[in-house]
């Protein structure tokens, strides 16, 4: 075990995967010599050589497409798209190709690629360095979508993603890279040191895809969340004193419906929190499942706290970000219902 | 089983490739390009062969692209080591324009230095300097007509100075303060000015390049007289948008000037990662049937002359030109990276193309149109101008303090007209 922040845990996952399997190759913009703009691939090129970890041209469609080709050959490409906001040139390769190669070839060909990409706000990145596009990918059948919230989960989920035989979009909450962020913009920087999930095994382990984590047990309401919002929801529960059951979904495809349904049937209330915009966000899918499966146990309407239906504005980062004040207010309102 | 089915089964039993499997007996190797030097080593630019100024021919503007393809592999240089403008590309240019170019480049550098420091002082979130490549937008901007349309990338801030856009307005954008016309929405340096013919800068790379071609096509569809110019980095030429731009520009002979700013680095990736060591970026134009020029981007006169050539061609309805500007990014990519982590520390000193400001200064002095005293005075005047303007901007506000735009504006401009019920409801929840 070592104390790691999320970047170090992701880096450690790369080392573990690359040591175990020579078919794991890593590439992306600035990931080679420099080790990535967020340092996630630092030292890999020196350790494994330039043909296992290398810089790619600035061409996200090309990065994803070449990863697919390598996957078809039998490699396990683990690639980085520098910001989730930059992934859209690759949409055709992801949605029409990676997602459907298994289906259209009758199972003959597969593209077991993992696309890592930092998402979310909290670093004053403006509208092109802050987006949360998970719902776009969750809507594409054939893609898996994974979002860790701690260093421990990040490493275990990333290993599971790369070892999975399907294409995985691995969204990294960049605001959590260096510490657990509870959503108060004025808070100083907290580190992962001392946090239980900042203790990370050095070797191989897996956090399975599709298994949610009940990070706080409670009886008053269920809070469904993932990524950065897990810590915001825990802070809101603490600050409101409401006995929330906070469920970290960890992956939204596959989705651990069993844990969600059991929790809401127990608490009778369900709040869904994500940083992405509201309309047609993944919260809508969760709300539909919960109302269908738990309708007769619900004591209040399902509610959602999300980013506003606007682009992510630079100066209004904290007005946009669904912080603990907004989440806490929704929790209180739900208890009054 | 049908005959066809039987045939397929038979084919499967005997693979078509049987007997050929051993032809590829040599293990294949993957090549990953590496720059000639890295941190801890001395900078190595020995691979760069600069032709002597004045030695590259200037083809007629009506030349067929295939008859001038060697220019894509050469380098147009006008200023020699003594500051003399030599050869067929030396433009006839009023010294007043040269002095204006020098002033704008110096202003850009002073502005960049102050704004970079402001970011370091926590007054804004982000900044990107254009140090070393100021001649590229400045000379092109001055060669173009002020009504021509510009689709810039994020390192052509000098274009706004060319168009006399107020520095205060630019600083207000850097600070996302109450007077920022973009309402605090955009990352610093992502300027926009319709009035100046300066298209809103995107944080997503290369998108403007193909949009510029569309603007130029529209100008041609409407029988307008305005041209369009656009800029892209060497790294971003790898994006699909670069290739879409070249295809559309060539097919429709769009009145557009396609500028590649090859400043050698895309964050930490040297230009070889974008394919620059296989062939010059200008050479890509040859394949598309576009006339392509490769120019010394630190040579103000060469950039001006090449842009003039492209303008003349476009105005005569002969279509687009691709220009590679060979220059050097003297600083990091932005305030977010440390260049000593990925390139040799003395690269900046050893860059063979020199400093565009120094080279134009030398030329003006040689012409007898400038002197050291005036240069120092102008430097001090511009430092003061930038400082005073900064004070004015900061009196309005910075990212961290002072007046901000109204948060209500966050919900505006998403769709045309008034915000719909959904946004009104969210605005209400937000509390305004």
């Amino acid at each position: 075990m070592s104390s790691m922040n999320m970047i170090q845990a992701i880096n450690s996952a790369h080392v573990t995967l690359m040591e175990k399997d020579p078919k794991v190759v890593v590439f992306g913009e600035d990931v080679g010599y420099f080790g990535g703009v967020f340092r996630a691939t630092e030292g890999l090129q020196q350790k494994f050589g330039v043909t296992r970890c290398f810089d790619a041209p600035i061409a996200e469609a090309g990065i994803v497409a070449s990863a697919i080709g390598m996957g078809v050959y039998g490699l396990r490409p683990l690639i980085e798209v520098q910001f989730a906001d930059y992934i859209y040139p690759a949409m055709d390769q992801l949605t029409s190709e990676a997602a459907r190669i298994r289906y259209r070839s009758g199972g003959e060909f597969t593209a077991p690629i993992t696309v890592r990409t930092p998402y979310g706000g909290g670093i004053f990145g403006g509208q092109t360095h802050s987006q949360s596009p998970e719902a776009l990918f969750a809507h594409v059948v054939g893609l898996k979508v994974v979002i860790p919230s701690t260093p421990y989960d990040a490493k275990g989920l990333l290993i599971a993603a790369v070892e999975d035989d399907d294409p995985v979009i691995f969204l990294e909450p960049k605001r959590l890279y260096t510490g657990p962020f509870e959503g108060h913009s004025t808070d100083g920087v907290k580190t992962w040191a001392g946090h239980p999930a900042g203790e990370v095994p050095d070797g191989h382990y897996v956090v399975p895809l599709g298994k949610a984590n009940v990070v706080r047990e409670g009886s008053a309401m269920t809070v469904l969340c993932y990524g950065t919002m897990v810590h915001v929801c825990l802070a809101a529960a603490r600050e409101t004193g409401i006995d929330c059951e906070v469920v970290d979904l960890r992956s939204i495809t596959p989705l651990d419906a069993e844990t969600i349904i059991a929790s809401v049937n127990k608490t009778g209330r369900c709040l869904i929190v994500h940083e992405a915009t509201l309309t047609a966000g993944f919260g809508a899918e969760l709300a539909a499942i919960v109302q269908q499966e738990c309708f007769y146990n619900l004591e209040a309407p399902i509610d959602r706290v999300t980013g506003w239906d606007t682009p992510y504005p630079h100066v209004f980062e904290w007005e946009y970000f669904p912080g603990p004040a907004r989440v806490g207010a929704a929790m209180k309102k739900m208890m009054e219902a | 089983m049908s005959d066809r089915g039987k045939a397929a089964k038979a084919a499967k039993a005997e693979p078509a490739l049987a007997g050929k499997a051993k032809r590829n007996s040599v293990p294949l190797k993957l090549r990953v390009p590496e720059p000639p030097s890295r941190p801890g080593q001395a900078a190595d630019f020995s691979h760069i062969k600069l032709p002597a100024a004045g030695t590259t021919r200037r083809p007629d503007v009506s030349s067929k692209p295939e008859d001038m393809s060697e220019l894509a592999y050469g380098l147009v240089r006008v200023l020699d080591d003594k500051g003399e403008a030599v050869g067929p590309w030396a433009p006839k240019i009023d010294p007043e324009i040269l002095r204006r170019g020098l002033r704008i480049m110096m202003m850009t550098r002073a502005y960049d230095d102050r704004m970079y420091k402001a970011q370091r002082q926590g007054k804004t979130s982000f900044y990107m300097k254009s140090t070393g490549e100021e001649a590229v937008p400045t000379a092109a901007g001055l060669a173009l007509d002020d009504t021509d349309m510009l689709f810039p990338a994020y390192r052509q801030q000098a274009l706004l100075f060319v168009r006399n856009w107020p520095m205060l307005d630019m600083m207000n954008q850097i600070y996302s303060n109450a007077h920022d016309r973009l309402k605090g929405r955009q990352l610093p340096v992502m300027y926009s000015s319709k009035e100046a013919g300066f298209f809103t800068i995107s944080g997503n790379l290369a998108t403007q390049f193909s949009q510029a071609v569309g603007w130029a096509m529209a100008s041609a569809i409407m029988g307008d007289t305005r041209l369009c110019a656009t800029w892209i980095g060497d790294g971003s030429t790898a994006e699909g948008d670069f290739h879409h731009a070249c295809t559309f520009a060539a097919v429709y002979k769009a009145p557009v000037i396609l500028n590649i700013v090859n400043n050698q680095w895309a964050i930490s990736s040297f230009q070889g990662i974008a394919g620059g060591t296989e062939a010059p970026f200008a050479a890509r134009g040859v394949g598309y049937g576009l006339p392509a020029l490769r120019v010394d981007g630190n040579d103000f006169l060469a950039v001006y002359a090449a842009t003039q050539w492209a303008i003349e061609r476009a105005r005569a309805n002969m279509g687009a030109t691709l220009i590679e500007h060979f220059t050097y990014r003297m600083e990091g990519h932005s305030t977010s990276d440390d260049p000593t982590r990925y390139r040799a520390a003395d690269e900046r000193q050893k860059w063979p193309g020199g400093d565009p400001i120094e080279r134009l200064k030398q030329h003006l002095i040689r012409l007898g149109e400038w002197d050291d005293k005036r240069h120092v005075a102008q430097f001090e005047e511009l430092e003061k101008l930038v400082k005073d303007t900064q004070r004015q901007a900061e009196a309005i506000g910075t990212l961290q303090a002072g007046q901000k735009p109204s948060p209500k504006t966050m919900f505006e401009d998403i769709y045309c007209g008034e915000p719909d019920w959904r946004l009104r409801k969210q605005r209400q929840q937000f509390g305004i």
Side-chain angles (χ1 to χ4, degrees):
Chain A
M1 294 290 254
S2 299
S3 180
M4 296 186 200
N5 65 27
M6 195 184 282
I7 288 288
Q8 291 162 332
I10 289 164
N11 186 270
S12 171
H14 281 79
V15 173
T16 303
L17 285 158
M18 293 172 87
E19 278 176 345
K20 187 178 170 213
D21 184 356
K23 294 197 288 297
V24 175
V25 293
V26 175
F27 60 104
E29 295 156 19
D30 300 289
V31 311
Y33 184 87
F34 189 45
V37 297
F38 289 103
R39 328 294 313 147
T41 54
E42 188 164 27
L44 299 180
Q45 188 176 78
Q46 288 87 328
K47 192 171 166 68
F48 297 99
V50 292
T51 58
R52 299 277 313 276
C53 176
F54 52 90
D55 289 324
I58 302 173
E60 295 76 17
I63 292 169
V64 171
S66 52
I68 291 171
M70 292 179 201
V72 168
Y73 177 93
L75 302 189
R76 290 206 175 254
L78 168 51
I79 59 177
E80 177 179 300
V81 170
Q82 200 162 77
F83 285 87
D85 315 62
Y86 298 169
I87 207 166
Y88 307 117
M91 281 307 259
D92 191 37
Q93 288 290 342
L94 288 169
T95 61
S96 309
E97 301 299 318
R100 302 207 294 256
I101 283 174
R102 178 191 303 284
Y103 192 79
R104 79 178 192 217
S105 69
E108 266 190 353
F109 291 105
T110 59
I113 67 171
T114 299
V115 185
R116 291 179 41 247
T117 189
Y119 86 96
I123 63 158
F124 276 107
Q127 45 112 24
T128 52
H129 300 81
S130 309
Q131 294 164 33
S132 299
E134 69 273 12
L136 294 176
F137 299 112
H139 194 60
V140 177
V141 291
L143 295 180
K144 291 177 177 170
V145 183
V146 178
I147 310 170
S149 69
T150 67
Y152 180 89
D153 280 4
K155 177 170 177 182
L157 287 168
L158 185 55
I159 292 174
V162 173
E163 292 179 349
D164 192 274
D165 288 337
D166 286 319
V168 180
I169 309 294
F170 192 86
L171 292 159
E172 299 172 0
K174 63 175 101 71
R175 181 63 213 220
L176 300 183
Y177 273 156
T178 52
F181 176 65
E182 295 187 338
H184 297 290
S185 61
T186 49
D187 276 2
V189 178
K190 276 186 199 151
T191 71
W192 283 106
H195 192 285
E199 287 299 308
V200 179
D202 296 306
H204 184 279
Y205 69 97
V206 163
V207 173
L209 308 185
K211 191 81 199 84
N213 187 19
V214 179
V215 289
R216 185 190 190 283
E217 287 190 16
S219 58
M221 71 168 66
T222 298
V223 182
L224 303 178
C225 52
Y226 44 86
T228 314
M229 290 303 131
V230 172
H231 305 273
V232 172
C233 293
L234 286 170
R238 191 182 65 235
E239 287 161 18
T240 55
I242 295 169
D243 187 23
C244 297
E245 179 143 300
V246 179
V247 181
D248 175 358
L249 300 179
R250 282 177 169 159
S251 66
I252 59 174
T253 318
L255 183 69
D256 186 356
E258 205 179 313
T259 299
I260 294 168
I261 293 162
S263 177
V264 180
N265 278 336
K266 180 179 85 173
T267 63
R269 289 180 169 84
C270 180
L271 180 68
I272 299 158
V273 183
H274 57 64
E275 194 179 342
T277 46
L278 177 78
T279 301
F282 195 69
E285 181 65 25
L286 291 170
I289 293 169
V290 169
Q291 80 84 24
Q292 184 162 38
E293 302 293 334
C294 313
F295 185 77
Y296 297 104
N297 292 312
L298 285 174
E299 290 168 37
I302 301 162
D303 199 5
R304 291 178 285 169
V305 180
T306 70
W308 307 118
D309 280 341
T310 78
Y312 219 121
H314 178 247
V315 72
F316 297 124
E317 172 131 76
W318 300 117
E319 285 78 1
Y320 180 94
F321 187 89
R326 274 178 66 201
V327 175
M331 286 172 172
K332 284 184 198 157
K333 190 176 147 220
M334 185 166 284
M335 292 314 293
E336 286 158 11
Chain B
M1 192 183 277
S2 69
D3 285 351
R4 196 181 286 175
K6 281 176 196 159
K9 204 175 175 193
K12 212 171 184 180
E14 271 183 67
L17 292 174
K20 293 184 182 176
K22 283 181 184 165
R23 281 198 184 169
N24 293 334
S25 55
V26 180
L28 302 167
K29 280 180 191 164
L30 185 73
R31 188 283 303 261
V32 178
E34 268 297 309
S37 57
R38 284 292 195 186
Q41 297 170 323
D44 179 6
F45 288 123
S46 58
H47 58 289
I48 296 175
K49 307 277 181 256
L50 297 179
T55 55
T56 305
R57 84 176 169 108
R58 185 181 188 278
D60 189 83
V61 292
S62 61
S63 297
K64 284 183 181 165
E66 66 263 34
D67 294 337
M68 54 174 283
S69 58
E70 88 279 6
L71 273 95
Y73 296 85
L75 196 70
V76 174
R77 303 183 76 222
V78 170
L79 289 171
D80 68 13
D81 293 345
K82 295 184 222 90
E84 189 106 43
V86 293
W89 284 95
K92 288 186 180 55
I93 181 168
D94 190 327
E96 197 47 52
I97 292 177
L98 295 179
R99 275 193 295 268
R100 182 129 188 272
L102 182 68
R103 182 178 172 81
I104 288 165
M105 291 199 287
M106 290 171 75
M107 190 189 290
T108 305
R109 194 166 291 186
Y111 175 82
D112 278 350
D113 282 342
R114 294 296 297 184
M115 292 298 94
Y116 184 90
K117 278 185 200 125
Q119 191 278 342
R120 286 290 182 255
Q121 291 162 346
K123 291 171 183 170
T124 190
S125 59
F126 179 78
Y127 195 74
M128 304 176 99
K129 300 171 103 174
S130 59
T131 313
E133 47 192 283
E134 295 95 338
V136 174
T138 306
L142 288 170
L144 287 160
D145 196 280
D146 273 352
T147 59
D148 290 332
M149 185 65 184
L150 313 171
F151 277 71
Y154 45 64
R155 235 183 278 278
Q156 285 80 48
Q157 48 267 56
L159 287 170
L160 284 167
F161 291 135
V162 170
R163 299 237 161 141
N164 291 315
W165 194 250
M167 188 187 287
L168 179 61
D169 188 80
M170 292 163 70
M171 285 186 180
N172 291 337
Q173 197 280 327
I174 299 292
Y175 289 142
S176 290
N177 67 22
H179 289 204
D180 171 15
R181 289 177 310 102
L182 312 184
K183 303 167 194 181
R185 290 175 185 155
Q186 275 280 54
L187 204 61
V189 314
M190 306 289 168
Y191 308 107
S192 174
S193 171
K194 193 170 184 182
E195 201 185 325
F198 185 101
F199 185 64
T200 162
I201 297 174
S202 176
N204 292 72
L205 298 178
T207 50
Q208 76 283 358
F209 218 59
S210 33
Q211 292 162 354
V213 177
W215 196 100
M217 287 167 66
S219 189
I221 290 167
M222 298 307 289
D224 201 336
T225 57
R226 290 174 294 166
L227 308 181
C228 189
T230 183
W231 288 260
I232 197 172
D234 47 298
S236 303
T237 60
E239 291 280 14
D241 275 315
F242 170 80
H243 302 276
H244 308 152
C246 291
T247 303
F248 279 67
V251 168
Y252 297 107
K253 286 205 180 300
V256 63
I257 300 166
L258 302 166
N259 294 287
I260 302 167
V261 187
N262 176 6
N263 68 7
Q264 314 300 320
W265 290 94
I267 308 187
S268 74
S269 295
F270 85 119
Q271 44 103 27
I273 293 294
T277 46
E278 309 313 298
F281 292 98
R284 293 182 189 186
V286 175
Y288 287 101
L290 290 169
L293 301 172
R294 190 160 178 268
V295 307
D296 179 348
N298 288 16
D299 179 339
F300 183 94
L301 295 182
V303 175
Y304 191 93
T307 308
Q308 264 188 332
W309 189 94
I311 289 169
E312 213 180 308
R313 188 175 171 98
R315 292 214 195 286
N317 276 309
M318 289 184 282
T321 301
L322 184 72
I323 306 176
E324 175 187 348
H325 302 268
F326 194 70
T327 181
Y328 181 70
R329 195 191 78 204
M330 290 188 179
E331 303 273 357
H333 166 72
S334 74
T335 45
S336 301
D337 66 308
D338 171 7
T340 65
R341 297 289 290 268
Y342 51 78
R343 68 186 189 188
D346 59 343
E347 268 203 7
R348 182 175 173 163
Q349 286 74 39
K350 289 197 181 155
W351 173 248
D355 180 322
I357 293 179
E358 292 304 316
R359 289 177 66 190
L360 183 57
K361 175 193 165 195
Q362 185 193 25
H363 175 60
L364 272 164
I365 290 174
R366 197 168 177 84
L367 290 177
E369 296 285 348
W370 197 244
D371 57 54
D372 276 319
K373 212 175 134 196
R374 285 173 82 181
H375 195 80
V376 171
Q378 177 157 282
F379 178 82
E380 284 166 2
E381 182 226 323
L382 290 170
E383 288 279 301
K384 188 172 178 311
L385 173 73
V386 173
K387 215 169 156 181
D388 290 348
T389 312
Q390 187 184 19
R391 205 169 291 134
Q392 287 176 53
E394 290 181 6
I396 301 162
T398 66
L399 182 64
Q400 304 299 351
Q403 303 169 55
K404 288 186 178 187
S406 161
K408 198 176 166 183
T409 60
M410 182 162 64
F411 298 92
E412 295 166 358
D413 301 328
I414 295 158
Y415 301 101
C416 61
E418 285 298 301
D420 66 1
W421 63 270
R422 207 165 64 190
L423 283 164
R424 284 202 307 275
K425 190 177 168 192
Q426 292 180 29
R427 201 169 67 187
Q428 229 165 24
Q429 285 172 358
F430 176 62
I432 45 171

